[in-house]
Amino acid sequence: MTGGSPAEPPEQLGIRRRLHRLAGPSGLIAGLAIDHRDSFRAELERRGIGGLGTPELAALKRALVAVLAPASTAVMLDAELGGDALVSGAIPDSIGLIMPLEAQGYEALGDGRVTTLMADFTPARALAYGADACKLLLPYRVDHEPSAAQQDALVVECARACHDLGLPLVVEPIAYRWTTETEAAYGDQLAGLVTGAVRRLQPLGVDLFKLPFPVAGSAAVDGPAAIDACRTLDAACAGTPWVLLGARLTADTFVAQVRIAGAHGASGFLAGRGIWGPALGRDPDAAAEIARTVCLPIFERCRAAAELVARPLPR
């Protein structure tokens, strides 16, 4: 996205201004991703914490957001479990808000996966909540044409709907592993899958990419392969800004990835369970205390790393 001009259409001006609301004064994004719904419930159940209803889940999410949002530049939050956090003012007015459009779960198209949209939540609803952007998560295999073509069409549809309202669209393509694919084979292909998805999606109206680190395994935090992959990924973005997603990594690993990605084109990060995961529990007050003592310092380390090297959003 380029800077404004006297002839810039109002909708484009609105997109650019709202995109910059996701960043801090330095133009970098230090984002908290907590728009999880089914996966939020599943994560609790994996820890032996079941039986929580929607009110209890919403209270837990509100407690986490209240602690972590003030340290962020943007929060990615849903309406279903995050509405209480929005209504309660847990997100300060100065913090950008990104809201998801995709439904939970995916439809299968042969051996591929395709995204479905929530029937009752549109960009207009997001705007009514005060959102500064919408997000679309895409399972995406560039080497599977039937599903990739359907995902492309969905990006065009969502970009048009968002842009008509002056809202930017954040796209998160996830290069998932086939059930028949070994972890090693998937890791070998990861850089090409991520970069290929970005090259294909970039012209379709994406305003910000949320991307995985493009190298798997031990090379993901050290060595020339990681640097080369990030440079190639940045070139594929062709001027569209991108941020790094968290992928539930350890704090040290993610901080290292933030540094590498930021030094080679990323404009920051949007991190989820790797940040707030340690605080998940049944009691919101206990969760808030763990968020303050454990999660917040991790988040602040990530933000400090990004501010040292990351590329500011273009004006």
Side-chain angles (χ1 to χ4, degrees):
M1 182 166 296
T2 59
S5 70
E8 187 173 21
E11 294 83 1
Q12 196 65 28
L13 175 62
I15 292 167
R16 180 169 58 83
R17 288 176 62 85
R18 287 190 174 99
L19 187 64
H20 276 269
R21 270 190 48 81
L22 308 180
S26 61
L28 304 176
I29 296 173
L32 177 71
I34 190 166
D35 60 321
H36 309 63
R37 286 152 279 160
D38 288 353
S39 57
F40 195 73
R41 297 179 176 94
E43 188 71 24
L44 284 161
E45 289 172 359
R46 275 194 290 270
R47 300 175 188 211
I49 305 167
L52 297 182
T54 297
E56 291 81 14
L57 294 168
L60 178 58
K61 189 171 279 197
R62 182 176 67 242
L64 298 174
V65 170
V67 173
L68 297 171
S72 70
T73 67
V75 175
M76 188 176 286
L77 188 65
D78 61 297
E80 179 186 345
L81 299 180
D84 284 357
L86 291 171
V87 171
S88 69
I91 302 177
D93 291 341
S94 60
I95 306 301
L97 174 63
I98 307 167
M99 302 191 78
L101 298 175
E102 75 276 355
Q104 297 291 278
Y106 308 101
E107 293 181 358
L109 187 67
D111 202 17
R113 303 176 191 172
V114 293
T115 303
T116 54
L117 301 179
M118 286 185 280
D120 58 350
F121 196 86
T122 63
R125 288 277 290 159
L127 187 63
Y129 270 100
D132 299 291
C134 290
K135 183 266 291 188
L136 184 64
L137 188 148
L138 295 175
Y140 202 96
R141 290 285 304 220
V142 72
D143 54 352
H144 187 262
E145 179 60 28
S147 61
Q150 192 160 324
Q151 298 291 67
D152 292 351
L154 189 64
V155 170
V156 171
E157 174 190 339
C158 290
R160 184 180 298 116
C162 289
H163 293 171
D164 284 348
L165 298 170
L167 285 171
L169 178 64
V170 181
V171 172
E172 181 179 356
I174 300 297
Y176 56 94
R177 180 160 64 100
W178 300 129
T179 56
T180 57
E181 192 172 35
T182 67
E183 189 170 346
Y186 171 74
D188 289 344
Q189 293 190 82
L190 181 61
L193 291 173
V194 175
T195 301
V198 166
R199 285 199 182 103
R200 184 160 170 159
L201 293 167
Q202 190 274 339
L204 304 183
V206 179
D207 299 293
L208 177 70
F209 279 113
K210 181 187 176 193
L211 299 173
F213 199 80
V215 179
S218 60
V221 291
D222 192 22
I227 293 172
D228 289 347
C230 286
R231 285 174 173 165
T232 301
L233 181 57
D234 184 61
C237 288
T240 298
W242 61 285
V243 294
L244 192 65
L245 60 79
R248 290 193 286 181
L249 299 169
T250 65
D252 288 346
T253 299
F254 188 57
V255 168
Q257 289 188 352
V258 168
R259 290 193 182 111
I260 296 168
H264 298 94
S267 295
F269 64 90
L270 271 162
R273 280 172 281 190
I275 299 295
W276 47 261
L280 280 184
R282 189 175 293 276
D283 177 25
D285 291 337
E289 180 60 23
I290 296 172
R292 273 189 291 271
T293 58
V294 177
C295 305
L296 186 58
I298 295 172
F299 188 84
E300 289 173 337
R301 280 184 64 197
C302 296
R303 180 167 181 169
E307 288 177 342
L308 283 174
V309 295
R311 178 190 295 164
L313 293 177
R315 288 287 179 184

